[in-house]
Amino acid sequence: AKHGMSTEEMLKLHRDFLTVLKPLYLQLHTWAKYELAKKYGQPVPKAIPAHWINNRWSQEWTGMVEGVDFDAFVNKEKGWTSEKIVKTAESFFQSIGFPKLPESFWQKSDLYPVKPGDTRKKNSHASCWHIDLDQDVRSLMSVEPNFQWFGTAHHEMGHGYYQLAYSNPSVPPLLRDSATTAFHEGMAELMSLATRQVPYLKATGVLPAEYKADPIKVLLAEALETAIPFMYWGSGTMTEWEADFYAGNMPADQMNARWWKMVHDLQGVEPPSPRDEHYCDPATKTHINDAPGYYFNYNIAFVLKFQFHDYICKHILKQDPHAANYAGHPEVGKYLETWLKKGATEDWRKLLKDATGEELSTRAMAEYFAPLQKWLEKQNKGRQIGW
Ligand code: ASP
Ligand code: SER
Ligand code: ZN
């Protein structure tokens, strides 16, 4: 309803995303399953066994591309602490023209893991909250010194800066919100896309100045970890299952069976061993429990982040979208501010058109990964594609 769309229209939007991206997903899926079969000394399967992938839901396929595993650079041994990650993120926002976070952010947020011995229970899944629809913005995280948290800290602060931007006198409190929830996630995701670019990682000392990687491998890792499998998981399994659960007529004794059928049919992944209705595996995903009917926003956000990134690189920074560095460019913040500060006062379609000149579209995402398609087709020549 917030998007001004019916359930059917929303489902169609996501199904269309997946149709456009399918040729690339099939190539990535094939490349990954041959790579993993080799790694584990197993015959090449049709669907990928879930336990071969580094993420419980197969939503981000990390650690598969040699030489592009940034966890090797963000860890204790390399001098990273949780505090340094969060401070680096704040510095990034300041360098693109945003103010320092209010002092209360640092006093009232809950940013680090519960200390050993402390019996307090805490959901460590990151979030960022606007407490008073004004300057009181707080984040809940459990930041540890690794690359996943490096991206997530930038993501959460993206929410915080969006909240601060629309807390201004021209936005009435009821409209102090994002254009749609997908735009909130879009801003947050844009920040994590920007801060995974190699030139930024070098500038912040994550990667040494002499770091060199094959650009196609960088793009491959980016596709696997931050873009394409995530679409089949989010626009696919999560969105279809929640639509079936809330708006469809999913029988109570089919909750797990439907889930795994979607994981198989849409993601091309299968459980390590058969699952039955003693379990409700969807409930392992925090959003199923505490953010119902929300997840599809992340997938619109993933589409949006490439649209905004493309616009910023081409029209503001005049940099290659594959090797950009926003840091030190306050004109980026100025551009973001033009739409962030409007909050929910305008229809999202108009806002997007004004900010990027185009409608919601996978064009930018597909263009970004286009060089990869050709390279993968070569690698996968003669291989069995699909499941
Ligand atoms: N980054 C987390 C995820 O997206 C929470 C958030 O949206 O801030 O679930
Ligand atoms: N933050 C969301 C998740 O953790 C989407 O990336 O699943
Ligand atoms: Zn978010």
Side-chain angles (χ1 to χ4, degrees):
K2 270 195 176 175
H3 282 83
M5 291 165 75
S6 67
T7 305
E8 275 315 311
E9 285 168 334
M10 189 51 86
L11 282 171
K12 178 172 177 342
L13 180 76
H14 287 275
R15 289 171 185 157
D16 288 349
F17 289 162
L18 300 188
T19 305
V20 176
L21 299 169
K22 192 71 185 255
L24 180 55
Y25 188 56
L26 284 173
Q27 292 295 329
L28 282 168
H29 183 275
T30 304
W31 182 86
K33 82 180 172 188
Y34 277 78
E35 214 44 41
L36 292 168
K38 191 166 62 184
K39 176 169 171 187
Y40 295 117
Q42 298 288 323
V44 178
K46 283 199 161 129
I48 302 177
H51 59 304
W52 287 11
I53 294 174
N54 217 352
N55 173 285
R56 189 185 290 183
W57 308 279
S58 308
Q59 67 180 73
E60 290 123 21
W61 299 5
T62 60
M64 283 189 197
V65 187
E66 227 180 301
V68 198
D69 185 0
F70 296 147
D71 256 330
F73 298 97
V74 182
N75 52 50
K76 265 204 212 106
E77 292 68 41
K78 300 269 179 201
W80 284 90
T81 60
S82 306
E83 289 80 4
K84 187 173 162 190
I85 287 187
V86 185
K87 284 292 177 188
T88 302
E90 189 194 28
S91 302
F92 171 74
F93 283 91
Q94 286 181 261
S95 87
I96 62 171
F98 289 97
K100 261 179 158 343
L101 285 166
E103 208 29 56
S104 57
F105 175 89
W106 300 106
Q107 286 158 1
K108 295 177 171 170
S109 290
D110 183 352
L111 302 175
Y112 307 113
V114 172
K115 296 225 163 58
D118 188 334
T119 53
R120 181 168 70 102
K121 292 225 174 171
K122 174 177 173 186
N123 180 346
S124 329
H125 199 98
S127 52
C128 188
W129 303 90
H130 200 185
I131 302 295
D132 63 351
L133 298 183
D134 193 8
Q135 299 300 301
D136 188 351
V137 161
R138 308 178 195 178
S139 181
L140 176 85
M141 297 194 260
S142 290
V143 182
E144 295 182 64
N146 61 40
F147 191 65
Q148 171 99 32
W149 278 110
F150 183 84
T152 300
H154 287 85
H155 173 112
E156 297 310 329
M157 257 177 222
H159 287 307
Y161 278 103
Y162 199 169
Q163 290 157 347
L164 291 168
Y166 53 64
S167 301
N168 69 66
S170 52
V171 181
L174 275 175
L175 299 175
R176 290 187 184 177
D177 200 349
S178 48
T180 71
T181 27
F183 279 73
H184 234 309
E185 298 306 339
M187 166 62 183
E189 272 303 309
L190 175 64
M191 297 300 104
S192 80
L193 189 168
T195 53
R196 171 191 175 108
Q197 301 269 308
V198 170
Y200 173 71
L201 295 175
K202 284 190 177 179
T204 44
V206 169
L207 296 175
E210 67 279 6
Y211 174 84
K212 261 211 179 75
D214 182 351
I216 206 79
K217 293 275 177 71
V218 173
L219 198 58
L220 174 62
E222 222 179 339
L224 292 167
E225 296 178 13
T226 72
I228 309 300
F230 186 78
M231 295 301 289
Y232 290 81
W233 148 253
S235 285
T237 303
M238 283 294 277
T239 296
E240 294 287 348
W241 192 88
E242 286 202 300
D244 196 3
F245 186 60
Y246 291 115
N249 56 359
M250 183 189 289
D253 62 356
Q254 289 288 308
M255 285 161 66
N256 219 28
R258 292 262 170 111
W259 174 261
W260 283 107
K261 181 165 169 25
M262 289 168 185
V263 172
H264 178 271
D265 294 355
L266 298 161
Q267 296 178 261
V269 170
E270 64 189 10
S273 56
R275 306 293 294 170
D276 62 30
E277 299 300 321
H278 287 98
Y279 307 103
C280 184
D281 294 318
T284 61
K285 187 69 197 163
T286 200
H287 304 71
I288 293 284
N289 301 303
D290 58 23
Y294 183 85
Y295 210 83
F296 67 88
N297 287 295
Y298 292 116
N299 294 88
I300 300 176
F302 271 55
V303 171
L304 285 172
K305 74 177 169 181
F306 284 98
Q307 291 188 264
F308 285 120
H309 179 67
D310 192 62
Y311 185 88
I312 289 169
C313 291
K314 289 184 181 152
H315 299 278
I316 296 172
L317 295 173
K318 320 259 188 241
Q319 292 179 11
D320 174 4
H322 299 100
N325 188 1
Y326 294 15
H329 291 280
E331 62 277 25
V332 174
K334 222 169 160 190
Y335 161 74
L336 294 173
E337 187 80 15
T338 58
W339 58 269
L340 297 180
K341 72 170 187 215
K342 289 181 182 161
T345 59
E346 264 181 18
D347 185 81
W348 66 273
R349 295 168 189 81
K350 175 174 181 334
L351 187 136
L352 179 60
K353 190 87 197 246
D354 290 349
T356 65
E358 67 178 356
E359 328 246 292
L360 182 65
S361 158
T362 45
R363 178 210 50 88
M365 189 193 267
E367 232 173 84
Y368 190 87
F369 292 111
L372 195 57
Q373 180 82 22
K374 282 203 189 98
W375 183 85
L376 284 167
E377 279 167 11
K378 242 196 192 152
Q379 311 297 311
N380 289 333
K381 219 167 173 192
R383 290 177 169 177
Q384 189 250 311
I385 312 256
W387 55 93

